[in-house]
Amino acid sequence: MAAGSAIQIPTRLPLLLTHESVLLPGSTMRTSVDSPRNMQLVRSRLLKGTSLRSTIIGVIPNTSDPTSDCDDLPNLHRIGTAALAVQVVGSNWPKPHYTLLVTGLCRFQVLQLLKEKPYPVAEVQQLDRLEQFTNGHKSEEELGELSEQFYKYAVQLVEMLDMSVPAVAKLRRLLDNLPREALPDILTSIIRTTNQEKLQILDAVRLEERFKMTIPLLVRQIEGLKLLQKTRKSKQDDDKRVVTIRPNRRIGHGSITEDEEEEEDHDDVVMLEKKIRTSSMSEQALKVCLKEIKRLKKMPQSMPEYALTRNYLELMVELPWNKSTKDRLEIRAARIVLDNDHYAMEKLKKRVLEYLAVRQLKNNLKGPILCFVGPPGVGKTSVGRSIAKTLGREFHRIALGGVCDQSDIRGHRRTYVGSMPGRIINGLKTVGVNNPVFLLDEVDKLAKSLQGDPAAALLEVLDPEQNHSFTDHYLNVAFDLSQVLFIATANTTATIPPALLDRMEVIQVPGYTQEEKIQIAHRHLIPKQLEQHGLTPQQIQIPQVTTLGIITRYTREAGVRALDRKLGAICRAVAVKVAEGQHKEAKPDRAEMGEEEDCKEHVTEDSKPESISDTADLALPPEMPILIDFHALKDILGPPMYDMEVSERLNQPGVAIGLAWTPLGGEIMFVEASRMDGEGQLTLTGQLGDVMKESAHLAISWLRSNAKRYQLTNASGSFDLLDNTDIHLHFPAGAVTKDGPSAGVTIVTCLASLFSGRLVCSDVAMTGEITLRGLVLPVGGIKDKVLAAHRAGLKRIIIPQRNEKDLEEIAEHVRQDLTFVLAGCLDEVLNAAFDGGFAVKARLEHLNSKL
């Protein structure tokens, strides 16, 4: 071929310095780059280059790149390989480095080093042609003889390998298709050779030298394979001889033969197949299992897939495809169990009894999907356990808080290493029946990540129209979940996706009233704490008045968790007293025994009376039972944590009490306002959300437009409330984020008090959204807000008129303690919030008829 048509590499090449490996033309090598100059070469040349020319680099073997830019380059190896960078992968662990995949093109000789920094660049001369490797200068007979000899050894070496392996078959085809001149470099990079031997092949520029140097390497590899095959064959013969001799030998009584051992190896698989055929799984699942068991019989036990397949089949056998428990459908007995386990919660109990009643009339009723929504500590999780106990079903709890991988619900596909079924299928395997009660706890705290959205995976689980054929990725067959009673719990519905919320029947579980907490404490919490601390009712007595003091002064919550902890602290303090009393009562006996042995009785009599009397005082703990009163509370629990501060904070104008709803229950919220000379600015503080800020602007706009009507003036007596006046609105507990429209009426009342100079009634709380025209719109969470006002000792509550229907959910004794004012407009709110009402100036403008 003419020299003009040859493919030429660039005459100036950037150099990649390698020390541990040698790249030969026609072969591919993966190398790690972490030295300064090599890293700079990758960044500047390979990553930023846009042409094919920029991906061609020179690989210099047997030359290490200095660890610092300041060090001089060592002497470069004379011969290198021009390479094409196929892939670049970067990583920062354990230190920043790149991994290059390069393919050798041809040899080159370094003529002159042009520059060393930031990476070495050299002028090179190409030594190999890329189209053909011989130009006919060498006699065809001599090279033909060498190439034929080399080809014969290469074919012999490849045929000694397993031709069923795709890589070996491909190599055999390459021997016939590639030019003979390219084979020495390629085979040298494949067979077992040292770096020094590869370096010698690289330095052999003449083709004749390469053939002569590579043939001994092939012969050495062939001899090694022959020796290895001979060793394996002799070992197999020995194994066969042992197998044929051993059946005729008897080790002793009770011993088994080799044939019997082989039978035992297959017994487990046969038993597994028998379990599969006798199980009550669906037809589709049975078909899949029988197919897998056939594969398992043909599979060697040493294969990794053997254990995976066997685990899959064992799981399929253990699943309760058609096994269920019989429901207890006696409504009276169920009502007794629910009342004994939980006080109040009438809505929940009613829904469970309705389900039992329908199950009596229809046997194949699908399990309902319930969602209990309420603040922490009200018993949402424990009531799920009670429902399972009432129905006589198995109970399984699945904690979903913080779950961010959809595979936790659907499982992993069996193609992954370490795959396992999802929590739903694992739960069914644990309980062993197909109709348990599943509690999906904290469903509102699911997270979304790169591994998928578990809330979306729950859509199939919690849809009665779809869960009869739920498909776990691990099982890959449908499983019927329609008989499972799913109960989800959440603190709020705001973070639950709408599609998931639509599939569940939401039942609100509000906080408890003080009276309900007292009953819960004396029926459930105190007996539980006494049992946990080893006390009896004869040793401690907690009156209801003391319990009420704990509820009002030491806890302020919708549930009873903090109350339970306070009762536990009281029981621990009493346990210390009881234990000390028993210890002190045992001491006098030991003292009397010591007096008999001691000759100094008069010394003992003189020195003991005070300590004995002291011991007697401590040993009587102090009298059984120990009565817990307010003094004991202060000694055990410390000073009260919460004070009735309502009347103290309403002793000046510009303060009003609002009601807020939080996921933790209802709360009372103070709103404070002040004015000062300024430029008419409105300042809002207290970590307010956008909706609450807009409510504040609505309130000030409505008051400015009605200032004359209500005789509201600023400090200078002007009806323009913002004329030379700044207003500051603050919502205490500034570290807590607040938002929502229900503070509108509270802000209006607070500002009206500020500009009129009148005090808001100290026993009034209010909630409601306002409009620019002075209307009061309904809000949510009325029951939780009313209970918060009741806990705080307030007597009157102003609510929107359209929320009157929500008062039916409030207990009768709470409604009797409170006075509700239903307001449809802000006029009614202001009249109810101030003593004697809020005076409105009569309008004097009248239009006279001209007819």
Side-chain angles (χ1 to χ4, degrees), residues 204-354:
V205 177
R206 296 174 60 244
L207 185 58
E208 178 186 2
E209 293 179 10
R210 288 205 293 274
F211 274 125
K212 290 181 179 179
M213 296 176 66
T214 311
I215 289 175
L217 300 179
L218 290 179
V219 173
R220 184 183 67 186
Q221 189 74 24
I222 291 171
E223 294 299 327
L225 282 177
K226 287 181 179 179
L227 181 61
L228 182 62
Q229 290 177 353
K230 183 178 179 181
T231 305
R232 285 180 178 175
K233 186 176 180 181
S234 62
K235 185 177 180 182
Q236 290 175 358
D237 293 340
D238 292 342
D239 293 341
K240 289 179 182 178
R241 187 163 55 253
V242 171
V243 170
T244 55
I245 293 174
R246 192 170 292 174
N248 298 324
R249 295 178 57 195
R250 292 287 180 175
I251 299 175
H253 295 290
S255 63
I256 58 176
T257 63
E258 185 70 23
D259 292 336
E260 291 172 349
E261 289 179 1
E262 291 180 1
E263 288 179 4
E264 278 194 356
D265 292 338
H266 295 284
D267 279 349
D268 291 342
V269 179
V270 172
M271 289 296 296
L272 187 58
E273 183 179 7
K274 185 177 179 182
K275 289 179 181 179
I276 291 173
R277 294 185 181 277
T278 57
S279 65
S280 55
M281 64 179 66
S282 63
E283 184 178 350
Q284 179 191 6
L286 181 61
K287 184 178 178 181
V288 171
C289 288
L290 291 178
K291 181 179 178 181
E292 292 292 329
I293 202 75
K294 287 180 181 178
R295 292 181 63 243
L296 191 68
K297 289 179 179 178
K298 299 176 183 178
M299 201 181 300
Q301 292 189 11
S302 58
M303 286 186 63
E305 196 176 352
Y306 182 90
L308 299 177
T309 305
R310 180 161 182 166
N311 291 339
Y312 171 75
L313 293 174
E314 288 176 351
L315 173 66
M316 295 288 282
V317 170
E318 292 175 5
L319 284 178
W321 296 93
N322 204 20
K323 183 181 178 182
S324 59
T325 55
K326 188 176 180 181
D327 288 346
R328 290 202 295 260
L329 303 177
E330 298 179 7
I331 295 182
R332 291 184 180 178
R335 181 180 282 112
I336 292 173
V337 171
L338 289 174
D339 289 339
N340 289 340
D341 288 349
H342 292 274
Y343 184 78
M345 291 191 174
E346 299 303 328
K347 272 190 176 182
L348 289 179
K349 296 176 183 177
K350 180 182 176 183
R351 183 63 183 87
V352 175
L353 296 178
E354 288 173 354

